[in-house]
Amino acid sequence: MGGAFVAAAVLARLGGRIGLPTIPLFILAGILLGPHTPGVVLVSDPHDLEMLSALGLVLLLFYLGLEFHIDDLKAGGRKMAVAGGVYLALNVGAGLAFGFALGWGTSEALVLAGVLGISSSAIVTKVLVDTGRLGNPETKPILGIIVVEDIFLALYLAALQPILSGADSLSAALLDGGKAFGFLLALALAARFGTRLIGRLINTPDDELLTISFLGAAVLVAGVSEWFGVADAIGAFMVGLMLGSTTSGKRILKLVHPLRDAFGAIFFFVFGLSIDPGDLPGVVWPVLIAVALTLVMNVSAGLAAARIYKFGPEPAANIATTLLARGEFALILATMAAAAGLDARLSPFIAGYVLLLAIMAPLAAKQSGWLARILPGGKPGEPGGDAGASGASVPERVSV
């Protein structure tokens, strides 16, 4: 574990000197020091760090929940639902069509629909933090789309599991879906009506006790979420949403920051450990086609979200590039597909696709001004820069 931290830090420092984002460098450290590449092997079995990786994901999404105030959900729920629905329709639909076009099988196509359709919440969160855009007006639809994706994810996994396991019981699938939806509804009601009570329970002047309390709450609810068939990430997000609106919210935000950074790095490092570079050449063309398709669909979804919120080209470019990454959920699907005995090409395809987008997305987000210049309403004569810093047709900046 110590070697993982040091390796991630060294590569990130070197990359920072030439302007590279930290996420792909953490992943690269895992690839270079994992069991699938020659040389020094720090971790021979990625499962050895599985719990630390899960904790990194939980803390990343918990932090996102702290930043995303419940008032934002109440104020823009309808627009968020529409923007998230459009994003899913474009990307999941394109993923399903791509899966059938490959001819690998119906079950494989259903898996690819999720792989191509759903963004990486962890990478999106990190990109927003690294680019300093948490206060931008377009961040609200970005976070709203993530929430809609996570809700869809819970229902999608509940429906996909019996298909991959070969189960033919519709009642069992409906029961799993109902259980997941019921738990999500309970969390939403607690976030909406229980904030005052939760604030009293968690409030303490002692930073040590406060840290133990919010960390225990986030991890506990994340674990219970998995039992109900809901992704642990959305459980942690909902806890952050509840605590962020309490009187202790600002202190929690400050205390969780170093924990998020440290264990988030381990999450991306473990992601790299699971990738075998030797499997990638056989699926290089499908990967490149899928990446191009995702780029087109994300730009289309970014333009649609910008129209819904009456934004200009700069925020549209930010939405499109920030949501580009695919990550932890795609790896979950790769594991499920391998356990179900699906086409052996799925795992290397997913690894290559996710790695390429994990590298491209942070770079594209930092240079989204170039995309804004060629979108409808953009100004080709202006130099590219950080889109979203300014732009016409956007409301005043909001606190997210």
Side-chain angles (χ1 to χ4, degrees):
M1 189 181 85
F5 275 121
V6 171
V10 169
L11 275 180
R13 281 172 175 263
L14 293 175
R17 293 186 176 182
I18 56 175
L20 290 178
T22 58
I23 296 169
L25 294 170
F26 292 155
I27 296 172
L28 180 62
I31 294 174
L32 295 177
L33 299 173
H36 305 297
T37 52
V40 177
V41 177
L42 277 182
V43 184
S44 58
D45 185 359
H47 293 292
D48 290 344
L49 297 180
E50 186 174 14
M51 182 60 71
L52 293 174
S53 174
L55 183 58
L57 179 59
V58 163
L59 289 172
L60 282 167
L61 271 295
F62 174 71
Y63 182 87
L64 181 60
L66 288 170
E67 289 280 2
F68 193 56
H69 296 162
I70 191 68
D71 291 338
D72 296 320
L73 278 177
K74 291 187 289 185
R78 183 176 180 181
K79 287 184 177 181
M80 289 178 187
V82 174
V86 170
Y87 187 90
L88 286 172
L90 289 171
N91 286 274
V92 174
L96 185 63
F98 175 75
F100 281 121
L102 283 178
W104 291 356
T106 301
S107 295
E108 286 79 0
L110 292 172
V111 170
L112 288 171
V115 171
L116 270 66
I118 299 180
S119 307
S120 166
S121 299
I123 297 179
V124 169
T125 305
K126 193 69 166 60
V127 167
L128 287 172
V129 173
D130 286 351
T131 55
R133 293 177 184 161
L134 284 172
N136 281 22
E138 71 274 7
T139 297
K140 183 185 290 187
I142 289 172
L143 299 182
I145 289 171
I146 289 176
V147 172
V148 173
E149 283 185 322
D150 284 335
I151 294 172
F152 170 80
L153 167 58
L155 302 176
Y156 171 79
L157 283 178
L160 185 65
Q161 184 60 49
I163 296 174
L164 295 185
S165 63
D168 55 359
S169 172
L170 179 60
S171 60
L174 291 175
L175 179 62
D176 289 341
K179 187 171 68 171
F181 180 78
F183 183 70
L184 285 172
L185 181 61
L187 288 178
L189 290 174
R192 175 64 179 87
F193 300 107
T195 302
R196 182 173 299 179
L197 175 60
I198 294 169
R200 290 176 181 173
L201 292 174
I202 198 131
N203 186 41
T204 173
D206 190 310
D207 284 350
E208 179 185 13
L209 293 178
L210 183 59
T211 301
I212 294 171
S213 299
F214 74 69
L215 186 59
V219 176
L220 177 62
V221 174
V224 174
S225 297
E226 286 193 326
W227 188 83
F228 278 96
V230 177
D232 54 2
I234 188 62
F237 174 86
M238 294 302 291
V239 174
L241 194 65
M242 297 175 203
L243 298 185
S245 300
T246 66
T247 55
S248 302
K250 291 184 178 180
R251 288 174 59 211
I252 294 173
L253 194 66
K254 182 179 179 180
L255 291 170
V256 77
H257 199 280
L259 293 171
R260 180 210 69 188
D261 288 345
F263 289 98
I266 291 296
F267 169 79
F268 295 112
F269 180 85
V270 174
F271 176 20
L273 292 176
S274 66
I275 297 175
D276 185 352
D279 292 336
L280 301 180
V283 292
V284 62
W285 285 111
V287 166
L288 293 177
I289 294 171
V291 167
L293 182 62
T294 302
L295 285 169
V296 172
M297 291 299 104
N298 265 54
V299 171
S300 301
L303 288 170
R307 177 177 287 271
I308 292 169
Y309 282 83
K310 295 181 172 56
F311 288 161
E314 290 89 350
N318 276 353
I319 294 170
T321 54
T322 303
L323 290 168
L324 185 61
R326 304 299 189 258
E328 64 280 357
F329 173 59
L331 292 182
I332 292 171
L333 285 176
T335 302
M336 292 173 61
L342 300 188
D343 196 301
R345 292 170 290 186
L346 264 181
S347 291
F349 166 83
I350 293 174
Y353 171 76
V354 170
L355 178 61
L356 191 54
L357 284 181
I359 294 172
M360 288 178 58
L363 295 173
K366 287 193 173 184
Q367 299 297 325
S368 57
W370 294 102
L371 175 60
R373 290 170 59 191
I374 62 175
L375 291 179
K379 298 179 181 180
E382 294 182 356
D386 181 14
S390 63
S393 302
V394 299
E396 64 180 9
R397 301 174 81 86
V398 296
S399 175
V400 178

